[in-house]
Amino acid sequence: MATLPTYNTKQIEKSYDIAREMYSAFHVDTDDVLKKLETIPVSLHCWQGDDVGGFEHTESSSSGGIQATGNYPGKARNADELRQDIDKALSLIPGKHRINLHAIYAETQGKKVERDALTPEHFSCWVDWAKEKGLGVDFNPTCFAHPLADSGFTLSHSDRSIREFWIRHCIICREIGAYFGKTLEKTCVTNIWIPDGYKDLPVDRFGPRQRLKESLDEIFAKPIDEQWNKDSIESKLFGIGSECYVVGSHEFYLGYAVQKQKILCLDMGHFHPTEGVADKLSSVLLYVPEVLLHISRGVRWDSDHVVIVNDDVSALMDEIARGNLFARVHIGLDFFDASINRISAWVTGTRAVLRALLKSLLEPTPLLKGLENTGDFTSRLALLEEIKNLPWSAVWDYYCLKKDVPIGINWLHEVKKYEQAVLAQRKG
Ligand code: RNT
Ligand code: ZN
């Protein structure tokens, strides 16, 4: 590898001082912004670490239409390795964050435990670890990669007994969510996503949606203390194998979330390519209590590429920061790339979200709103464009310095060292 740059602490502090002055000319206090940034957690999805595999070793071929492509060596083969990898990633990301688990990451000591028979005990190692690290945990039922999902239908299946299996699984997951919340004293968000849909033209569009609604009603009928577990539902436009019809569409879940006051999960890869999730927040938050974001990067389709600071992510963070929506918007990640070092994927993606967030928090919003309110759209656009040049990267470097994580690309050295020392030893 060509030599990467190194960073000098004095230089970073000097640059920060200059940046602070430049921002104060726009009435932005960079110290306050950094205090705010450290309070905002990002939920790191465990499934980037093993290509959404889980530890069940199921006989099923149903991926639910989601697939990580690539075979970069060294993926985590068990929960200990996955935790070790997440630890490494977290050590390279500034701030205190959360972990997002799926039911297939249960630890059953080699025993086969059906998904409708899982208990909090199967997640006790995750909880012990999270407690030790001070992390909150979020959760997801896994309604794919299972023989009873092979038909492509789960909660909306026409067979009542199959629906009931998935209903039991989702109820159990809400209970496990509450266990995470209570034990860690940090509310867990449990998000339901199902793959249900038709590859080709459906004739009855109502039936599956009516069944999904009934299933959700049964799942949520079980009272669970919202102090510890909150319910979230995630829509999708289409998937591989569900190109013509997805039961849980945006309209379906938006309606459901409004009616039942549930958290609406908006995944950036789950809309028409020119539709932006940023634009939706100010509408849906008038009607639903909270939103969960699955920050992702779709390339031509819902491809779940690693997140970078692009226009979509920047616009989304602008929207949250401008409205100070942090109490009502949960920031989660959802991408999986098996073609590059998986720890680097987490670090690149999470640092990208935090960098975009910082950039947005540094925006002189009151100034811009003032221009907007007086109808000076000329100045609004000119200023929006000029502030892109403000030295937010100096503020970021300083934040990393203060949080004792590598500055700039230095984190990559750590990942490469870890790859040599740990990942390279994982064979088979
Ligand atoms: C699938 C959804 C869902 C999954 C995870 C693994 O399209 O985005 O959120 O990616 O639950
Ligand atoms: Zn998602």
Side-chain angles (χ1 to χ4, degrees):
M1 189 167 51
T3 326
L4 292 169
T6 51
Y7 299 84
N8 168 321
T9 307
K10 280 242 151 49
Q11 190 72 52
I12 286 166
E13 284 170 343
K14 219 159 100 192
S15 300
Y16 177 70
D17 283 343
I18 297 169
R20 183 169 42 199
E21 257 178 62
M22 286 173 78
Y23 276 104
S24 76
F26 289 85
H27 316 292
V28 174
D29 184 325
T30 54
D31 292 336
D32 284 353
V33 165
L34 290 184
K35 270 188 215 126
K36 174 88 185 176
L37 182 62
E38 68 181 9
T39 66
I40 303 163
V42 172
S43 194
L44 237 82
H45 54 315
C46 76
W47 53 90
Q48 163 58 57
D50 75 331
D51 316 338
V52 209
F55 309 126
E56 261 182 354
H57 309 295
T58 160
E59 299 292 290
S60 162
S61 58
S62 62
S63 65
I66 57 177
Q67 212 187 346
T69 54
N71 57 356
Y72 200 87
K75 83 169 169 195
R77 297 162 300 180
N78 54 53
D80 286 328
E81 289 181 354
L82 190 54
R83 281 188 285 267
Q84 189 187 5
D85 292 355
I86 298 172
D87 278 338
K88 188 74 220 175
L90 286 174
S91 74
L92 306 172
I93 297 166
K96 266 261 165 281
H97 299 289
R98 304 177 59 86
I99 293 302
N100 198 0
L101 297 177
H102 242 279
I104 45 172
Y105 293 87
E107 288 172 89
T108 60
Q109 321 305 337
K111 269 199 269 127
K112 179 159 177 59
V113 177
E114 253 317 338
R115 290 193 200 166
D116 61 347
L118 288 170
T119 63
E121 225 171 88
H122 299 121
F123 293 89
S124 62
C125 295
W126 283 108
V127 163
D128 291 345
W129 168 79
K131 194 166 212 165
E132 189 194 313
K133 313 272 164 184
L135 302 165
V137 172
D138 297 309
F139 200 44
N140 305 260
T142 311
C143 300
F144 52 87
H146 188 280
L148 291 181
D150 281 348
S151 68
F153 286 84
T154 62
L155 290 176
S156 72
H157 203 288
S158 56
D159 181 332
R160 167 125 210 118
S161 66
I162 296 183
R163 282 203 305 282
E164 277 171 352
F165 173 82
W166 292 111
I167 290 169
R168 287 195 300 277
H169 175 57
C170 288
I171 294 175
I172 278 177
C173 286
R174 293 178 67 228
E175 289 167 344
I176 294 170
Y179 155 75
F180 290 147
K182 201 167 185 172
T183 321
L184 301 168
E185 293 182 24
K186 290 182 203 291
T187 314
C188 169
V189 175
T190 297
N191 176 54
I192 298 179
W193 172 76
I194 59 166
D196 301 27
Y198 286 119
K199 179 186 176 79
D200 223 324
L201 295 170
V203 176
D204 177 12
R205 290 169 186 269
F206 266 99
R209 289 186 173 140
Q210 268 158 357
R211 291 193 291 270
L212 175 55
K213 183 173 186 294
E214 281 164 24
S215 294
L216 292 172
D217 287 348
E218 286 185 47
I219 292 166
F220 297 135
K222 167 110 202 186
I224 301 231
D225 191 344
E226 284 217 354
Q227 192 187 348
W228 304 126
N229 181 72
K230 289 187 183 180
D231 305 307
S232 161
I233 45 185
E234 180 180 5
S235 69
K236 190 161 176 165
L237 179 64
F238 79 93
I240 296 177
S242 62
E243 288 84 352
C244 281
Y245 171 76
V246 165
V247 183
S249 61
H250 179 52
E251 292 73 11
F252 175 90
Y253 281 124
L254 179 60
Y256 196 92
V258 170
Q259 192 177 52
K260 301 286 163 78
Q261 290 297 290
K262 297 292 179 193
I263 299 181
L264 186 69
C265 173
L266 300 172
D267 182 310
M268 292 177 77
H270 290 191
F271 295 91
H272 283 283
T274 61
E275 243 179 290
V277 166
D279 189 36
K280 297 179 189 301
L281 291 183
S282 51
S283 294
V284 302
L285 282 172
L286 295 177
Y287 304 102
V288 301
E290 291 169 34
V291 160
L292 165 65
L293 295 174
H294 272 189
I295 304 199
S296 194
R297 177 167 55 111
V299 176
R300 307 192 192 286
W301 68 291
D302 179 27
S303 59
D304 290 296
H305 277 65
V306 175
V307 166
I308 55 173
V309 181
N310 59 12
D311 286 354
D312 294 338
V313 172
S314 295
L316 188 53
M317 294 304 132
D318 280 349
E319 197 60 20
I320 305 172
R322 286 172 186 166
N324 192 21
L325 302 174
F326 298 102
R328 294 175 66 201
V329 175
H330 305 266
I331 302 177
L333 306 172
D334 189 8
F335 52 80
F336 25 95
D337 190 338
S339 73
I340 59 175
N341 178 301
R342 292 170 186 80
I343 293 145
S344 83
W346 269 317
V347 179
T348 297
T350 314
R351 284 176 68 125
V353 168
L354 293 171
R355 279 157 56 234
L357 189 53
L358 171 64
K359 197 158 60 72
S360 300
L361 288 169
L362 288 167
E363 182 189 81
T365 311
L367 201 59
L368 286 159
K369 278 194 183 160
L371 296 170
E372 185 165 272
N373 290 337
T374 54
D376 187 354
F377 306 138
T378 306
S379 305
R380 179 184 62 184
L381 182 64
L383 184 57
L384 274 172
E385 199 49 23
E386 282 303 326
I387 59 177
K388 289 180 182 164
N389 277 358
L390 286 177
W392 64 272
S393 67
V395 183
W396 169 254
D397 286 347
Y398 180 75
Y399 184 60
C400 290
L401 182 71
K402 289 289 135 188
K403 290 287 166 196
D404 207 17
V405 300
I407 315 290
I409 195 68
N410 276 0
W411 64 262
L412 190 60
H413 298 301
E414 300 300 317
V415 171
K416 296 273 176 185
K417 269 194 260 162
Y418 185 79
E419 180 168 308
Q420 289 274 305
V422 180
L423 303 184
Q425 316 308 317
R426 292 179 189 168
K427 303 261 153 58

